[in-house]
Amino acid sequence: MDLTQLEMFNAVAESGSITAAAKRVHRVPSNLTTRIQKLEEELGVALFIRENQRLRLSSAGYSFLRYSQRITGLVDEARRVVAGDEPEGLFALGSLESAAAVRLPLPLARFKQRYPKIQFNLVTGPSGTMIDAVLDGSLSAAFVDGPLLHPQLDGVPVFEEEMVIVAPAQHAPLTRARDADGEQVYAFRANCSYRRHFESWFHDDGARPGHIHEMESYHGMLACVIAGAGLALMPRSMLESMPAHDQVSVWPLAGHWRYLATWLIWRRGALTPTLEAFTALLAEMKSAGV
Protein backbone atom coordinates (compact mmCIF):
# COMPACT_ATOMS: atom_id res chain seq x y z
CA MET A 1 0.00 0.00 0.00
CA ASP A 2 1.40 3.40 -0.96
CA LEU A 3 0.28 7.02 -1.02
CA THR A 4 -0.58 6.91 -4.73
CA GLN A 5 -2.95 4.01 -4.12
CA LEU A 6 -4.66 5.91 -1.32
CA GLU A 7 -5.04 9.02 -3.50
CA MET A 8 -6.55 6.87 -6.27
CA PHE A 9 -8.88 5.16 -3.81
CA ASN A 10 -10.04 8.53 -2.42
CA ALA A 11 -10.69 9.84 -5.92
CA VAL A 12 -12.78 6.80 -6.91
CA ALA A 13 -14.66 6.80 -3.59
CA GLU A 14 -15.51 10.49 -3.83
CA SER A 15 -16.49 10.46 -7.52
CA GLY A 16 -18.07 7.01 -7.74
CA SER A 17 -16.52 6.50 -11.16
CA ILE A 18 -13.21 5.14 -12.42
CA THR A 19 -13.38 7.46 -15.46
CA ALA A 20 -14.01 10.61 -13.42
CA ALA A 21 -11.38 9.63 -10.88
CA ALA A 22 -8.82 8.98 -13.64
CA LYS A 23 -9.26 12.53 -14.92
CA ARG A 24 -8.88 13.90 -11.41
CA VAL A 25 -5.57 12.14 -10.71
CA HIS A 26 -4.33 12.33 -14.33
CA ARG A 27 -4.09 8.56 -14.93
CA VAL A 28 -5.63 6.21 -17.43
CA PRO A 29 -8.69 4.30 -16.16
CA SER A 30 -7.04 0.90 -16.56
CA ASN A 31 -4.24 1.97 -14.22
CA LEU A 32 -6.74 2.99 -11.52
CA THR A 33 -8.63 -0.28 -11.90
CA THR A 34 -5.45 -2.29 -11.46
CA ARG A 35 -4.22 -0.30 -8.47
CA ILE A 36 -7.61 -0.44 -6.70
CA GLN A 37 -7.81 -4.20 -7.23
CA LYS A 38 -4.29 -4.58 -5.83
CA LEU A 39 -5.24 -2.50 -2.79
CA GLU A 40 -8.27 -4.72 -2.16
CA GLU A 41 -6.06 -7.81 -2.45
CA GLU A 42 -3.59 -6.39 0.07
CA LEU A 43 -6.38 -5.56 2.53
CA GLY A 44 -8.26 -8.79 1.91
CA VAL A 45 -11.64 -7.04 1.59
CA ALA A 46 -13.80 -5.58 -1.18
CA LEU A 47 -13.77 -1.80 -0.84
CA PHE A 48 -16.40 -1.26 -3.54
CA ILE A 49 -19.67 -2.78 -4.69
CA ARG A 50 -19.56 -2.90 -8.47
CA GLU A 51 -22.85 -2.55 -10.32
CA ASN A 52 -24.01 -1.07 -13.64
CA GLN A 53 -20.57 0.31 -14.50
CA ARG A 54 -20.52 2.35 -11.29
CA LEU A 55 -18.87 1.80 -7.94
CA ARG A 56 -20.38 2.16 -4.49
CA LEU A 57 -18.37 1.96 -1.31
CA SER A 58 -18.86 -1.20 0.70
CA SER A 59 -19.12 -0.99 4.50
CA ALA A 60 -15.41 -1.81 4.69
CA GLY A 61 -14.77 0.88 2.08
CA TYR A 62 -16.53 3.53 4.17
CA SER A 63 -14.40 2.61 7.19
CA PHE A 64 -11.19 2.61 5.16
CA LEU A 65 -12.02 5.95 3.48
CA ARG A 66 -11.98 7.80 6.80
CA TYR A 67 -8.43 6.60 7.50
CA SER A 68 -7.27 7.07 3.92
CA GLN A 69 -8.45 10.68 3.87
CA ARG A 70 -6.80 11.30 7.22
CA ILE A 71 -3.48 9.92 5.95
CA THR A 72 -3.49 11.88 2.70
CA GLY A 73 -4.63 14.99 4.54
CA LEU A 74 -1.71 14.73 6.96
CA VAL A 75 0.70 14.25 4.06
CA ASP A 76 -0.70 17.38 2.38
CA GLU A 77 -0.30 19.32 5.62
CA ALA A 78 3.28 18.10 5.97
CA ARG A 79 4.05 19.22 2.44
CA ARG A 80 2.67 22.69 3.15
CA VAL A 81 4.69 22.98 6.36
CA VAL A 82 7.90 21.98 4.60
CA ALA A 83 7.13 24.57 1.93
CA GLY A 84 6.77 27.20 4.67
CA ASP A 85 3.01 27.73 4.27
CA GLU A 86 0.95 28.85 7.24
CA PRO A 87 -1.86 26.73 8.82
CA GLU A 88 -4.96 26.68 6.65
CA GLY A 89 -8.12 24.75 5.87
CA LEU A 90 -10.83 23.31 8.12
CA PHE A 91 -10.12 23.06 11.84
CA ALA A 92 -12.81 20.89 13.45
CA LEU A 93 -12.89 21.71 17.15
CA GLY A 94 -15.13 20.40 19.93
CA SER A 95 -15.83 21.96 23.30
CA LEU A 96 -17.80 21.84 26.49
CA GLU A 97 -20.66 24.33 26.20
CA SER A 98 -19.32 26.41 29.10
CA ALA A 99 -15.82 26.69 27.61
CA ALA A 100 -17.23 27.58 24.20
CA ALA A 101 -19.37 30.36 25.67
CA VAL A 102 -16.87 31.89 28.09
CA ARG A 103 -13.30 30.78 27.35
CA LEU A 104 -13.01 30.37 23.58
CA PRO A 105 -14.22 33.57 21.88
CA LEU A 106 -10.95 35.46 22.45
CA PRO A 107 -8.45 32.69 21.51
CA LEU A 108 -10.48 31.71 18.45
CA ALA A 109 -10.61 35.34 17.31
CA ARG A 110 -6.87 35.75 17.81
CA PHE A 111 -6.09 32.51 16.02
CA LYS A 112 -8.23 33.56 13.06
CA GLN A 113 -6.49 36.93 12.95
CA ARG A 114 -3.08 35.26 12.99
CA TYR A 115 -4.00 32.56 10.45
CA PRO A 116 -6.79 33.97 8.24
CA LYS A 117 -6.87 30.87 5.99
CA ILE A 118 -8.20 28.75 8.88
CA GLN A 119 -11.89 27.81 8.79
CA PHE A 120 -13.40 26.81 12.14
CA ASN A 121 -16.05 24.17 12.67
CA LEU A 122 -16.96 24.38 16.38
CA VAL A 123 -19.16 21.69 17.93
CA THR A 124 -20.33 21.70 21.56
CA GLY A 125 -21.40 18.87 23.80
CA PRO A 126 -20.59 16.83 26.93
CA SER A 127 -17.04 15.58 27.46
CA GLY A 128 -17.96 11.98 26.62
CA THR A 129 -19.39 12.98 23.25
CA MET A 130 -16.39 15.17 22.46
CA ILE A 131 -13.91 12.41 23.36
CA ASP A 132 -15.72 9.93 21.10
CA ALA A 133 -15.61 12.43 18.22
CA VAL A 134 -11.87 12.98 18.65
CA LEU A 135 -11.25 9.23 18.75
CA ASP A 136 -13.26 8.56 15.57
CA GLY A 137 -11.51 11.39 13.71
CA SER A 138 -14.50 13.67 13.16
CA LEU A 139 -12.88 16.31 15.40
CA SER A 140 -9.26 17.41 15.28
CA ALA A 141 -9.27 18.34 18.95
CA ALA A 142 -11.67 19.15 21.79
CA PHE A 143 -11.87 20.99 25.11
CA VAL A 144 -13.04 18.51 27.76
CA ASP A 145 -13.01 18.12 31.51
CA GLY A 146 -9.78 16.55 32.81
CA PRO A 147 -7.84 14.67 33.90
CA LEU A 148 -6.73 12.95 30.69
CA LEU A 149 -6.85 9.18 31.18
CA HIS A 150 -7.48 7.62 27.74
CA PRO A 151 -4.44 5.76 26.33
CA GLN A 152 -5.19 6.87 22.74
CA LEU A 153 -5.29 10.58 23.55
CA ASP A 154 -2.76 13.33 24.19
CA GLY A 155 -3.51 16.78 25.55
CA VAL A 156 -2.66 19.73 27.78
CA PRO A 157 -4.55 21.46 30.61
CA VAL A 158 -5.57 24.94 29.47
CA PHE A 159 -8.18 26.37 31.87
CA GLU A 160 -9.08 25.92 35.53
CA GLU A 161 -12.75 26.14 36.47
CA GLU A 162 -14.21 26.77 39.92
CA MET A 163 -17.26 24.55 40.30
CA VAL A 164 -20.21 26.02 42.20
CA ILE A 165 -23.62 24.81 43.27
CA VAL A 166 -26.36 27.14 42.08
CA ALA A 167 -29.33 27.15 44.45
CA PRO A 168 -32.52 29.22 44.90
CA ALA A 169 -31.87 32.62 46.45
CA GLN A 170 -33.15 31.79 49.96
CA HIS A 171 -31.66 28.31 50.15
CA ALA A 172 -30.00 27.24 53.40
CA PRO A 173 -26.18 27.06 53.34
CA LEU A 174 -24.68 24.22 51.28
CA THR A 175 -21.34 23.33 52.84
CA ARG A 176 -21.42 19.57 52.17
CA ALA A 177 -23.42 17.07 50.14
CA ARG A 178 -25.61 16.00 53.06
CA ASP A 179 -26.97 19.56 53.11
CA ALA A 180 -28.47 18.81 49.67
CA ASP A 181 -29.49 15.18 50.28
CA GLY A 182 -32.55 14.26 48.20
CA GLU A 183 -32.86 17.57 46.40
CA GLN A 184 -33.75 17.69 42.71
CA VAL A 185 -30.86 18.37 40.35
CA TYR A 186 -30.68 19.89 36.87
CA ALA A 187 -27.83 18.60 34.70
CA PHE A 188 -26.78 17.52 31.22
CA ARG A 189 -26.95 13.92 30.00
CA ALA A 190 -25.21 11.06 31.82
CA ASN A 191 -22.04 11.32 29.70
CA CYS A 192 -21.41 14.86 31.01
CA SER A 193 -18.29 14.93 33.20
CA TYR A 194 -19.70 17.77 35.34
CA ARG A 195 -22.80 15.71 36.08
CA ARG A 196 -20.62 12.74 37.10
CA HIS A 197 -18.57 15.09 39.28
CA PHE A 198 -21.75 16.34 41.00
CA GLU A 199 -23.05 12.81 41.58
CA SER A 200 -19.67 11.70 42.98
CA TRP A 201 -19.71 14.68 45.36
CA PHE A 202 -23.06 13.47 46.71
CA HIS A 203 -22.03 9.82 47.02
CA ASP A 204 -18.68 10.61 48.67
CA ASP A 205 -20.55 12.20 51.58
CA GLY A 206 -23.10 9.42 51.90
CA ALA A 207 -25.83 11.50 50.27
CA ARG A 208 -27.92 11.08 47.13
CA PRO A 209 -29.46 13.58 44.73
CA GLY A 210 -33.18 13.45 44.15
CA HIS A 211 -34.53 13.20 40.62
CA ILE A 212 -31.98 14.36 38.00
CA HIS A 213 -33.67 16.40 35.28
CA GLU A 214 -31.68 16.31 32.04
CA MET A 215 -31.39 19.73 30.39
CA GLU A 216 -29.95 20.99 27.10
CA SER A 217 -28.43 24.28 28.28
CA TYR A 218 -27.07 26.13 31.28
CA HIS A 219 -29.63 28.86 30.66
CA GLY A 220 -32.40 26.31 31.14
CA MET A 221 -30.80 25.04 34.34
CA LEU A 222 -30.51 28.57 35.73
CA ALA A 223 -34.16 29.31 34.95
CA CYS A 224 -35.27 26.21 36.87
CA VAL A 225 -33.08 27.08 39.85
CA ILE A 226 -34.39 30.67 39.94
CA ALA A 227 -37.91 29.20 40.00
CA GLY A 228 -36.95 27.26 43.13
CA ALA A 229 -37.20 23.85 41.50
CA GLY A 230 -33.79 22.44 42.43
CA LEU A 231 -30.00 22.72 42.22
CA ALA A 232 -27.42 22.81 39.44
CA LEU A 233 -23.65 22.56 39.22
CA MET A 234 -21.68 24.71 36.77
CA PRO A 235 -18.42 26.64 36.43
CA ARG A 236 -18.53 30.02 38.15
CA SER A 237 -17.31 31.65 34.91
CA MET A 238 -20.33 30.25 33.05
CA LEU A 239 -22.79 31.33 35.74
CA GLU A 240 -21.46 34.89 35.87
CA SER A 241 -21.74 35.25 32.09
CA MET A 242 -25.53 34.73 32.15
CA PRO A 243 -28.26 37.29 32.79
CA ALA A 244 -30.05 36.88 36.14
CA HIS A 245 -27.09 35.15 37.77
CA ASP A 246 -27.56 37.46 40.75
CA GLN A 247 -30.98 35.94 41.48
CA VAL A 248 -29.55 32.73 42.94
CA SER A 249 -27.31 31.73 45.83
CA VAL A 250 -23.90 30.31 44.98
CA TRP A 251 -21.97 27.71 46.99
CA PRO A 252 -18.49 26.58 45.89
CA LEU A 253 -17.75 22.89 46.34
CA ALA A 254 -15.30 22.29 49.16
CA GLY A 255 -11.86 20.69 49.14
CA HIS A 256 -10.63 18.74 46.13
CA TRP A 257 -14.08 18.94 44.50
CA ARG A 258 -13.85 22.69 43.98
CA TYR A 259 -11.62 23.03 40.91
CA LEU A 260 -11.59 21.13 37.62
CA ALA A 261 -9.10 21.53 34.79
CA THR A 262 -10.31 21.86 31.21
CA TRP A 263 -8.00 20.05 28.79
CA LEU A 264 -7.45 20.39 25.07
CA ILE A 265 -7.17 16.83 23.75
CA TRP A 266 -6.30 15.19 20.42
CA ARG A 267 -5.56 11.70 19.11
CA ARG A 268 -2.14 10.44 20.11
CA GLY A 269 0.30 11.01 17.26
CA ALA A 270 -2.06 13.42 15.47
CA LEU A 271 -0.62 16.79 16.51
CA THR A 272 -0.99 18.57 13.15
CA PRO A 273 0.72 21.89 12.37
CA THR A 274 -2.60 23.71 12.76
CA LEU A 275 -3.22 22.12 16.14
CA GLU A 276 0.36 22.78 17.19
CA ALA A 277 -0.04 26.47 16.29
CA PHE A 278 -3.32 26.61 18.26
CA THR A 279 -1.80 25.04 21.38
CA ALA A 280 1.10 27.49 21.13
CA LEU A 281 -1.35 30.40 21.06
CA LEU A 282 -3.20 29.06 24.12
CA ALA A 283 0.09 28.68 25.99
CA GLU A 284 1.10 32.20 24.98
CA MET A 285 -2.19 33.66 26.27
CA LYS A 286 -2.02 31.64 29.48
CA SER A 287 1.51 32.85 30.26
CA ALA A 288 0.35 36.42 29.61
CA GLY A 289 -2.56 35.95 32.04
CA VAL A 290 -5.19 36.52 29.34
Side-chain angles (χ1 to χ4, degrees), residues 128-140 267:
T129 302
M130 297 297 97
I131 289 171
D132 290 343
V134 170
L135 289 171
D136 70 24
S138 56
L139 290 176
S140 301
R267 292 187 314 280

Side-chain angles (χ1 to χ4, degrees), residues 201-212:
W201 175 77
F202 272 100
H203 298 157
D204 188 64
D205 197 29
R208 296 183 64 181
H211 182 70
I212 299 177

Side-chain angles (χ1 to χ4, degrees), residues 117-135:
K117 294 181 181 179
I118 288 291
Q119 299 175 5
F120 284 111
N121 179 25
L122 181 62
V123 178
T124 62
S127 285
T129 302
M130 297 297 97
I131 289 171
D132 290 343
V134 170
L135 289 171

Side-chain angles (χ1 to χ4, degrees), residues 165-166 171 174 176-187 194-212 230-233 253 256-257:
I165 301 173
V166 184
H171 199 284
L174 291 169
R176 58 184 295 181
R178 291 183 188 178
D179 295 336
D181 191 33
E183 295 207 36
Q184 294 191 94
V185 166
Y186 292 86
Y194 289 168
R195 170 173 168 173
R196 293 197 299 268
H197 188 72
F198 203 15
E199 291 179 285
S200 296
W201 175 77
F202 272 100
H203 298 157
D204 188 64
D205 197 29
R208 296 183 64 181
H211 182 70
I212 299 177
L231 310 176
L233 180 74
L253 296 187
H256 68 280
W257 300 100

Side-chain angles (χ1 to χ4, degrees), residues 12-273:
V12 175
E14 291 162 7
S15 67
S17 164
I18 289 288
T19 302
K23 292 179 180 179
R24 174 172 157 180
V25 298
H26 309 292
R27 300 293 183 102
V28 296
S30 60
N31 183 240
L32 261 72
T33 299
T34 300
R35 297 296 293 273
I36 294 298
Q37 289 174 343
K38 183 178 179 182
L39 178 61
E40 290 178 315
E41 290 172 3
E42 291 177 4
L43 295 173
V45 295
L47 298 174
F48 293 97
I49 299 170
R50 293 159 172 85
E51 56 183 20
N52 299 326
Q53 297 184 329
R54 288 192 62 80
L55 301 178
R56 289 192 297 110
L57 281 171
S58 65
S59 58
Y62 275 110
S63 298
F64 186 72
L65 178 61
R66 186 172 70 233
Y67 292 99
S68 180
Q69 289 173 330
R70 188 185 306 168
I71 291 169
T72 56
L74 287 173
V75 170
D76 287 342
E77 277 194 321
R79 287 170 176 162
R80 289 196 296 270
V81 169
V82 171
D85 293 338
E86 65 182 29
E88 61 179 276
L90 183 65
F91 186 28
L93 191 61
S95 177
L96 298 166
E97 182 181 347
S98 56
V102 179
R103 302 293 190 180
L104 297 192
L106 182 57
L108 293 186
R110 289 194 176 181
F111 195 63
K112 181 66 175 177
Q113 290 170 356
R114 187 172 295 183
Y115 303 108
K117 294 181 181 179
I118 288 291
Q119 299 175 5
F120 284 111
N121 179 25
L122 181 62
V123 178
T124 62
S127 285
T129 302
M130 297 297 97
I131 289 171
D132 290 343
V134 170
L135 289 171
D136 70 24
S138 56
L139 290 176
S140 301
F143 291 91
V144 302
D145 176 40
L148 178 62
L149 301 174
H150 199 288
Q152 296 179 36
L153 296 173
D154 281 329
V156 291
V158 287
F159 310 121
E160 185 176 67
E161 299 291 359
E162 181 187 16
M163 305 305 297
V164 298
I165 301 173
V166 184
Q170 303 305 318
H171 199 284
L174 291 169
T175 60
R176 58 184 295 181
R178 291 183 188 178
D179 295 336
D181 191 33
E183 295 207 36
Q184 294 191 94
V185 166
Y186 292 86
F188 289 118
R189 296 185 296 277
N191 62 348
C192 172
S193 56
Y194 289 168
R195 170 173 168 173
R196 293 197 299 268
H197 188 72
F198 203 15
E199 291 179 285
S200 296
W201 175 77
F202 272 100
H203 298 157
D204 188 64
D205 197 29
R208 296 183 64 181
H211 182 70
I212 299 177
H213 301 270
E214 295 188 351
M215 307 291 288
E216 295 299 322
S217 72
Y218 284 115
H219 292 82
M221 294 181 201
L222 181 59
C224 291
V225 172
I226 291 173
L231 310 176
L233 180 74
M234 63 184 71
R236 183 185 290 275
S237 61
M238 182 68 214
L239 172 63
E240 293 179 349
S241 74
M242 294 188 289
H245 68 271
D246 57 348
Q247 297 181 32
V248 295
S249 60
V250 181
W251 307 93
L253 296 187
H256 68 280
W257 300 100
R258 185 168 180 174
Y259 293 98
L260 290 175
T262 299
W263 285 62
L264 178 65
I265 62 165
W266 57 88
R267 292 187 314 280
R268 179 157 292 173
L271 183 61
T272 65

